[in-house]
Amino acid sequence: MKRFYSQWALFLVIVILVPFESGLCQAKRNIVILATGGTIAGAAATGTQAGYTSGQVGIDTMINAVPGIKDLANLKGEQISNVGSQDMSFDIMLKLANRINELTSGGNVDGIVITHGTDTMEETAYFLNLTAKTNKPVVLVGSMRPSTAVSADGPLNLYNAVAVAADPRAQGRGVLVVMNDHIHAAHSLTKMSTTDVQTFMSPLRGVIGVVAYGKADFYNMPPWKHTSESEFDISGVTKLPRVDIIYADADMSPDPIDDSVKSGAKGIVIAGVGNGNMNKAAVDACARAVKAGVVVVRSSRVATGLVGRNVELNDDQLGFIASDELNPQKSRILLSLALLKQRSPSDIQTLYMTY
Ligand code: ASP
């Protein structure tokens, strides 16, 4: 009799507990898709032409075009904007961050997917990495081919993004980008090709994981601060301080630096040559900018590597900030948020080492 009961107990463990533990019986998660436009929502007159218009298709049409996506999660779509991401603005980014904070603060939403153009996806991802106050997964996704193209990449990217957002293991890794089977951290990815489907890379840090047909594998936990641990607070913010990016090259003119100060910039990011360098005339113009109260950050036009303090330029003497791992476009995002309140140059330098 005893043996009979213990066999029953074993049977119940296998039939009831194992499927729950393995996730087979997990309740479907609630994912909200916030749509902003981009090529993933783009359309062309034919399936094989290069020319197309971004941001033409609405979110419900996009969801309905992906077979099986509704099996992954309970989905709800919201249209935030419908623009090519070359027209992405701080207004839309603020709207997105506020909406994510609203949606994720309650118990009804388990994760967020944002459809977005690829041109400025890294800026929005990084902005949200600093301003979305949640541990729940926030995943950006786009495509390189419009929805009407032969072999469009958008549907599978969207399917994978929903799968990652619905995966509890995606939690606590900061804002993620899912493109072409790769999962990237907002901090590290950058667009590397103007046209390739495999455009995003995280050259210095590598990918966070991979996802194939909705099955994800996570390799890395980002070590920098983000999302729920971030000190940046955009509640009530309607405008960000002006920060300009100035591109350095051989024999550059210092005029754009002086013009930027005259035009009221509060910060300047130099997309420097090599390790955030610039010629003597530009260094002098940046030193003038610092004297006028403008924060100068040295980043690099090179796609990978660090920009270190006091390497070929004496940042301590000149009052410059080194961008560490951040490229110019992400350096601009961090500086715009940093300048929302009064901070010393050394505090700003610390932000670049921390976020
Ligand atoms: N220009 C498009 C955009 O960023 C490119 C894309 O989405 O791939 O919206």
Side-chain angles (χ1 to χ4, degrees), residues 14-343:
I14 292 169
V15 168
I16 299 172
L17 284 184
V18 170
F20 267 102
E21 281 301 305
S22 63
L24 286 174
C25 279
Q26 213 167 57
K28 264 211 254 173
R29 301 196 139 218
N30 300 323
I31 304 297
V32 177
I33 305 183
L34 303 176
T36 69
T39 298
I40 193 166
T46 71
T48 49
Q49 68 187 70
Y52 68 97
T53 311
S54 277
Q56 298 296 294
V57 180
I59 184 59
D60 292 331
T61 312
M62 279 163 67
I63 294 171
N64 288 330
V66 185
I69 198 167
K70 289 180 185 164
D71 299 334
L72 294 173
N74 300 315
L75 296 179
K76 200 170 151 288
E78 275 183 37
Q79 199 76 44
I80 298 288
S81 63
N82 213 353
V83 296
S85 75
Q86 53 272 43
D87 285 320
M88 186 48 57
S89 62
F90 283 145
D91 279 354
I92 303 176
M93 289 188 206
L94 286 166
K95 197 170 160 188
L96 270 175
N98 284 318
R99 189 66 185 129
I100 292 167
N101 289 339
E102 237 168 58
L103 288 166
T104 54
S105 60
N108 296 335
V109 172
D110 301 306
I112 304 282
V113 169
I114 299 159
T115 59
H116 196 290
T118 61
D119 288 353
T120 62
M121 188 181 281
E122 60 196 273
E123 278 104 309
T124 302
Y126 188 60
F127 181 87
L128 297 175
N129 206 42
L130 301 177
T131 56
K133 300 280 179 202
T134 182
N135 261 332
K136 295 177 181 172
V138 175
V139 179
L140 279 85
V141 63
S143 75
M144 291 300 284
R145 296 179 181 145
S147 65
T148 47
V150 169
S151 197
D153 52 332
L156 187 53
N157 283 347
L158 185 56
Y159 184 87
N160 282 336
V162 168
V164 170
D167 191 323
R169 295 171 300 163
Q171 264 179 223
R173 293 179 199 264
V175 172
L176 302 173
V177 168
V178 167
M179 284 279 297
N180 206 32
D181 296 359
H182 289 168
I183 309 169
H184 296 270
H187 173 278
S188 306
L189 92 157
T190 193
K191 188 171 182 177
M192 298 289 277
S193 165
T194 53
T195 52
D196 272 7
V197 168
Q198 177 47 39
T199 188
F200 283 107
M201 290 178 78
S202 296
L204 206 52
R205 293 280 185 169
V207 294
I208 287 292
V210 294
V211 52
Y213 300 103
K215 299 272 174 292
D217 234 331
F218 293 89
Y219 307 149
N220 293 312
M221 196 54 115
W224 43 84
K225 272 189 169 179
H226 56 75
T227 54
S228 51
E229 287 176 1
S230 165
E231 66 203 78
F232 299 104
D233 182 8
I234 45 96
S235 46
V237 172
T238 53
K239 201 171 161 26
L240 293 176
R242 174 169 164 177
V243 175
D244 292 342
I245 297 176
I246 293 170
Y247 198 93
D249 62 344
D251 202 30
M252 78 182 282
S253 160
D255 292 353
I257 298 165
D258 291 322
D259 291 346
S260 167
V261 176
K262 272 188 223 132
S263 310
K266 302 288 178 262
I268 293 174
V269 173
I270 302 292
V273 295
N275 197 339
N277 291 318
M278 60 199 107
N279 66 13
K280 170 91 175 56
V283 172
D284 291 346
C286 284
R288 286 194 290 279
V290 170
K291 287 217 171 74
V294 174
V295 178
V296 173
V297 174
R298 295 188 301 105
S299 181
S300 179
R301 65 181 199 177
V302 182
T304 183
L306 304 178
V307 171
R309 263 193 92 73
N310 302 325
V311 179
E312 286 189 69
L313 285 168
N314 190 331
D315 294 301
D316 292 345
Q317 248 169 38
L318 290 159
F320 299 164
I321 313 290
S323 74
D324 194 52
E325 288 188 32
L326 294 183
N327 66 19
Q329 51 274 33
K330 287 186 206 168
S331 293
R332 176 173 179 244
I333 298 284
L334 181 55
L335 189 54
S336 305
L337 289 167
L339 291 173
L340 282 170
K341 78 174 214 201
Q342 190 70 34
R343 294 174 203 264

